[in-house]
Amino acid sequence: MPCTTVSPNPQFASIRTARGNFSQEGLRGFDLRGKTLGVIGTGDIGRHAATIARGFGMEVLAYDVKPDPALARELGFRYVDMNALLGAADVVTLHVPGGPATRHLLSTEQFDAMKPGVILINTARGNVVDIEALLHALAEGKVAAAGLDVLPEEPVIREEAELLRSYFAREHKLNTLLANHVLLRMRKVVITPHSAFNTREAVQRILDTTKQNIDAYLEGKPINLVA
């Protein structure tokens, strides 16, 4: 679960230990059991996040523009409005699509509504979070830590399909583009290169689904329509 990578930050601990420093100072985290996870977006990924959190013994609250009461009963979570979720969650995880409707879904007003010391996880799309507002929330301690698999500045790898193409073409580098990004220099922020989905099995599922979509279209029976 992504929140286990930010509290405490294992990257910092590993680097420090490799340098011969075995101190535990600054590495104390917290148990997930008994904490509250706020899931924003209960599509396929969001519902899996809820399932995993329940396995850790967490209470799960969810917000979605199209609630699924049957799913909530099945997985044992509750739908609440956005402000209620933000005010109660110890960890907030985002699983919504990108686009105008979700741009800056979390901004200053939403960070102000969160409880102090919250952890934010964004594996959705970079523009869902107002980065300037997040920086202020981190600086003030409102957000204790953040795990970001996406950033607004991602100019190349915007969709999983583009990352897949890079396997067969050339490796895209974000290093130069993000080198001066202040978030990269913050110890309480873990940033990964839009790779949360990137397992052998997930890549194979994407390829299989793509082939099925093409075959179905050629047969005049399109599937998995999104519009």
Side-chain angles (χ1 to χ4, degrees):
M1 194 169 188
C3 58
T4 62
T5 67
V6 295
S7 180
N9 186 332
Q11 294 174 312
F12 173 74
S14 177
I15 292 171
R16 195 168 72 177
T17 303
R19 293 172 178 169
N21 183 347
F22 286 80
S23 170
Q24 294 190 19
E25 182 180 355
L27 299 180
R28 181 164 295 167
F30 61 86
D31 290 343
L32 294 179
R33 184 175 183 82
K35 300 299 190 298
T36 298
L37 177 70
V39 180
I40 299 178
T42 54
D44 286 342
I45 299 175
R47 66 186 63 187
H48 283 298
T51 300
I52 293 169
R54 293 290 292 162
F56 276 101
M58 301 183 78
E59 179 184 359
V60 179
L61 302 178
Y63 170 80
D64 197 290
V65 292
K66 295 181 179 179
D68 185 341
L71 178 68
R73 288 192 297 271
E74 177 187 348
L75 299 185
F77 67 83
R78 292 189 294 120
Y79 280 106
V80 296
D81 63 38
M82 177 73 87
N83 283 339
L85 182 151
L86 296 176
D90 299 292
V91 180
V92 174
T93 181
L94 294 165
H95 303 287
V96 296
T102 58
R103 185 177 185 276
H104 290 182
L105 183 66
L106 295 189
S107 192
T108 301
E109 180 181 349
Q110 288 71 38
F111 285 118
D112 287 344
M114 295 180 185
K115 62 162 54 175
V118 67
I119 287 180
L120 175 66
I121 306 296
N122 185 13
T123 58
R125 291 294 182 267
N127 283 326
V128 173
V129 176
D130 180 343
I131 291 298
E132 289 189 18
L134 173 59
L135 285 171
H136 284 296
L138 284 162
E140 295 170 356
K142 171 69 80 165
V143 175
L148 308 174
D149 190 50
V150 287
L151 289 170
E153 290 82 356
E154 287 181 285
V156 179
I157 304 176
R158 292 187 181 275
E159 300 291 340
E160 288 83 350
E162 290 176 318
L163 181 55
L164 287 172
R165 283 199 294 272
S166 74
Y167 284 134
F168 305 108
R170 59 186 179 84
E171 183 181 358
H172 293 298
K173 300 289 186 181
L174 293 181
N175 301 31
T176 303
L177 296 164
L178 300 178
N180 295 320
H181 202 297
V182 65
L183 286 171
L184 287 172
R185 299 194 295 271
M186 298 184 75
R187 215 184 83 186
K188 53 188 177 181
V189 177
V190 174
I191 296 177
T192 50
H194 203 156
S195 60
F197 85 100
N198 193 12
T199 65
R200 290 188 297 270
E201 293 81 2
V203 170
Q204 189 59 54
R205 284 195 297 271
I206 292 171
L207 295 174
D208 291 343
T209 301
T210 301
K211 180 179 183 301
Q212 291 166 8
N213 289 341
I214 294 172
D215 290 343
Y217 179 80
L218 293 176
E219 293 172 3
K221 301 176 182 178
I223 58 175
N224 298 320
L225 302 178
V226 295

